[in-house]
Structures are given as C-alpha cells and as structure tokens.
C-alpha cells in the first residue's frame, strides 16, 4: 500500500467519515492541496500522516481538485464542511476566492488554517509560510546570480497569475534586484502549474530571448518542465534552470546540467507542521492571534506576526553535492 493516503472523492470521503464516526475520539483534519497528482503535496501528506501517528486519534483526509482552480477547491471544501470535519488546512489556489467558503467553515466551528499558499486573513485563523517570504525571494534570484558572474538575462516561470505565494516571492525578489548588478529580469510567464503549458512557456522564453542565461521557476511543476525544455533545446549548461523544486524530480536535471542548483523546504516537514498546528487549534490547546507561539512538535514553535502569519524554516539548497542523499526521500 502507498504511504500516501489516496485522494478521496466526495462519495469516498462520506463513506470513510461514516465508517469512522463510531470512533468519537478521532479528530478529522483535511489537508486540502492545490491539485492532486503533484509530488510536493504527496510528500506533505506523508508528513501529515507522521504527525497524526505521533498525536494519536487523528484521521488525515488528503484531498484537492484535479486542477489548480479556486472553483475546484471550493467544491472540495464545501464537501468537507458538509461532513463536519474538525479542521481544514488548505494550500490556496486564490487568495480571496476561497474566503467566503472558509468563513462558512469557521462559522460552523471548523478550524481553518492556510499553509504554503495563503488565503486572506479573514478566511483563516493563521497562515503557515514554508519559510520567510523575503528569504525565499532573495534565494531564488541568488541561485541564478551565483552562476552568472558577468550578469545577463533571466526570466521567471511562475504558476498561476493568482497564486499567492509565487506572487509574493517574485515581489520580494524584485525588491533585492539592486543587490545583483548586471542581472536583468526580461520576462515573467505563467505555466499554471501544468507540465505541458510550463514546458511551452519555457521553450517560448528561450526562443524569444536567445541570450537568456537562467529560468527561475518558483514552482515544483514549472521547474521540472523548464529543465526538460532546456534539455530538449540542447541548451543544458547554457541556460540554468533554478528556483523551487523537489530533489526526487530534479535529480535528472542536476545530472544533465540543466540545473546547477535549486532550493526547497522539506514538504514532509510542512505537512507535519500544518497538521500539528491544526490539531493545537482544534483541540483548544492553543489560540491563534498576533504574537502567539504555537507548538509544531519536532519542528519547534511557530510565532505569529501581526497578521497571524508565521514561517516554518529557511529554504535549503540542493545541488550535485547533496542531491543523491535527498532524491530518495522526497
């Protein structure tokens, strides 16, 4: 059996929850992801299961839409509300569109947090950032600049135009561009976290900007697609693909030379932390508010800022020196 809980259809969710209703002590925490079938989120589900086992009496419902749309997530969340889950932890496809549905969940006594990609403050009790937004923004441009001693043109391949976290990271990156003289961002394009569209966008960038030195993709889907596009264009070693990706999915790109380095937090830790935070709030062991400090098990303590946002950990860089160690983990 897979270590990851398979995505549940509405009917399956209902059946599963009905079967577990006899175990009144169980807390049901729904981990709602941007879309099913993405390795990053499957690794987060592994961390959620780890936290559930550590806590005891917790059932994880791993679910999400089949594509990266707010409408798909709203449908999933409405189903979870109907099933009266105890907590919803969501990585949002849209900052604002989910708010009315999540407010309805909270009005019905369901704990709501966002993680990875946030929703507006009124739609959740806290937001768990994987890392500090300024640190991530600086990291993604630094990863490119470190291999461009003479400067040059770079482009950004993001997820969707409304993706909360990517937009913030790109904004933070732009704030520190003055620290990297000679590096020019010539374009930002969007692959919608779809492999085929991201591939086409990366190919288009190389055709439009023949002197392009790097593609920065702050998305685990986009970075893999861009690396493949670089290999297929015969430009491995000429165009460096970097950004945020999974070691298991980027090992080939490091080996081929399409990517010299990339970064990511550990998604297993992220799913683990989101579950610990959801449990702490839903059980009444902690309350979310400005300045609150909420325990996250082995990940330490999350300190919330004035907007009830908190950062889990610093991003970590992967390259040829450590990729073999991590590619079998996630």
């Amino acid at each position: 059996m897979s270590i990851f809980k398979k995505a549940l259809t509405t009917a399956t969710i209902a059946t599963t929850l009905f079967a577990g209703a006899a175990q009144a002590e169980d807390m049901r925490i729904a981990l709602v992801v941007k879309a099913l079938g993405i390795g990053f989120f499957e690794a987060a589900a592994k961390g959620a299961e780890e936290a559930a086992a550590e806590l005891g009496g917790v059932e994880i419902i791993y679910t999400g839409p089949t594509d990266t749309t707010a409408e798909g997530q709203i449908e999933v969340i409405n189903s979870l509300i109907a099933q009266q889950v105890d907590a919803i932890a969501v990585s949002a496809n849209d900052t604002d569109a989910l708010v009315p549905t999540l407010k309805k969940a909270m009005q019905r006594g369901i704990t709501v947090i966002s993680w990875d990609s946030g929703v507006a403050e009124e739609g959740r009790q806290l937001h768990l950032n994987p890392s500090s937004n300024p640190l991530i923004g600086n990291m993604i441009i630094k990863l490119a600049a470190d291999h461009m001693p003479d400067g040059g043109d770079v482009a950004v391949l993001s997820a969707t135009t409304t993706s909360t976290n990517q937009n913030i990271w790109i904004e933070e990156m732009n704030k520190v561009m003055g620290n990297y003289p000679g590096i020019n961002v010539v374009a930002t394009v969007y692959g919608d976290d779809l492999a085929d569209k991201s591939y086409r966008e990366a190919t288009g960038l190389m055709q439009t900007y023949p002197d392009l030195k790097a593609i920065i993709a702050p998305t685990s889907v986009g970075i893999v697609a861009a690396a493949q596009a670089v290999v297929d264009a015969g430009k491995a070693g000429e165009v460096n693909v970097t950004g945020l990706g999974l070691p298991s999915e980027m090992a080939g790109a490091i080996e081929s030379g399409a990517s010299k380095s990339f970064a990511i937090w550990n998604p297993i830790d992220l799913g683990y932390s989101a579950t610990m935070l959801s449990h702490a709030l839903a059980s009444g062991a902690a309350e979310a508010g400005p300045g609150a400090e909420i325990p996250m098990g082995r990940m330490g303590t999350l300190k919330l800022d004035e907007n009830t946002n908190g950062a889990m950990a610093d991003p970590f860089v992967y390259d040829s020196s450590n990729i073999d160690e991590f590619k079998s983990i996630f």
Side-chain angles (χ1 to χ4, degrees):
M1 180 181 290
S2 169
I3 58 174
F4 303 122
K5 187 177 287 289
K6 291 185 177 179
L8 302 176
T9 63
T10 300
T12 307
I13 290 175
T15 302
T16 302
L17 299 185
F18 179 79
Q23 297 178 327
E25 74 280 10
D26 280 0
M27 179 182 291
R28 293 167 296 166
I29 299 175
L31 195 72
V32 180
V33 299
K34 290 183 176 182
L36 300 174
I38 296 176
F40 178 89
F41 291 119
E42 291 174 346
K46 179 181 177 182
E49 293 287 6
E50 178 193 341
E54 185 177 321
L55 290 163
V58 173
E59 176 187 358
I60 299 296
I61 302 169
Y62 174 62
T63 187
T66 56
D67 54 12
T68 54
T69 63
E71 292 77 12
Q73 286 191 316
I74 288 168
E75 182 178 350
V76 168
I77 292 165
N78 275 323
S79 175
L80 294 167
I81 293 171
Q83 301 305 322
Q84 300 179 336
V85 297
D86 296 286
I88 295 172
V90 59
S91 176
N93 284 325
D94 189 285
T95 308
D96 300 312
L98 303 186
V99 169
T101 308
L102 293 173
K103 286 177 72 173
K104 180 172 70 173
M106 291 188 289
Q107 289 164 359
R108 297 189 182 186
I110 298 173
T111 291
V112 175
I113 74 167
S114 57
W115 59 282
D116 176 52
S117 184
V119 295
E121 191 172 351
E122 61 268 25
R124 46 64 174 180
Q125 288 159 262
L126 66 79
H127 174 63
L128 173 67
N129 282 308
S131 183
S132 157
N133 289 324
L135 287 176
I136 296 168
N138 180 70
M139 176 65 75
I140 58 176
I141 187 63
K142 182 178 185 297
L143 287 167
D146 281 350
H147 299 284
M148 299 171 60
D150 299 322
D153 294 343
V154 304
V156 176
L157 169 63
S158 190
T160 65
T161 57
T162 59
S163 186
T164 313
N165 49 359
Q166 273 89 9
N167 288 341
I168 293 172
W169 298 333
I170 294 167
E171 180 182 339
E172 293 292 343
M173 181 192 79
N174 289 331
K175 288 180 183 178
V176 299
M177 287 303 298
N179 297 334
Y180 302 97
I183 306 295
N184 305 308
V185 179
V186 295
T188 299
V189 297
Y190 301 90
D192 293 345
D193 260 354
L194 299 173
D196 55 349
K197 184 176 182 183
S198 298
Y199 179 96
R200 292 195 301 271
E201 293 288 353
T203 300
L205 286 172
M206 288 183 285
Q207 293 171 345
T208 304
Y209 304 99
D211 295 327
L212 194 67
K213 299 299 183 185
I215 297 174
I216 300 169
T219 154
S220 61
V221 175
I223 193 172
V224 174
Q228 188 60 54
V230 166
V231 170
D232 291 350
K235 292 192 173 185
E238 180 182 342
V239 177
N240 176 33
V241 177
T242 189
L244 305 176
L246 298 178
S248 60
E249 297 177 349
M250 285 296 290
I254 292 290
E255 182 178 351
S256 71
S259 176
K260 293 181 171 62
S261 61
F262 63 96
I264 198 70
W265 38 90
N266 188 328
I268 297 172
D269 291 344
L270 190 55
Y272 172 94
S273 299
T275 301
M276 284 293 185
L277 293 167
S278 297
H279 184 272
L281 297 182
S283 67
E287 291 186 9
E293 296 187 8
I294 305 175
M296 298 186 293
R298 62 174 173 77
M299 293 303 296
T301 300
L302 184 75
K303 183 167 184 178
L304 300 180
D305 65 14
E306 65 276 9
N307 298 314
T308 58
N309 297 307
M312 184 185 74
D314 291 333
F316 184 83
V317 176
Y318 302 87
D319 56 24
S320 60
S321 71
N322 58 20
I323 191 69
D324 287 340
E325 178 184 354
F326 288 97
K327 68 181 183 182
S328 62
I329 300 175
F330 68 96

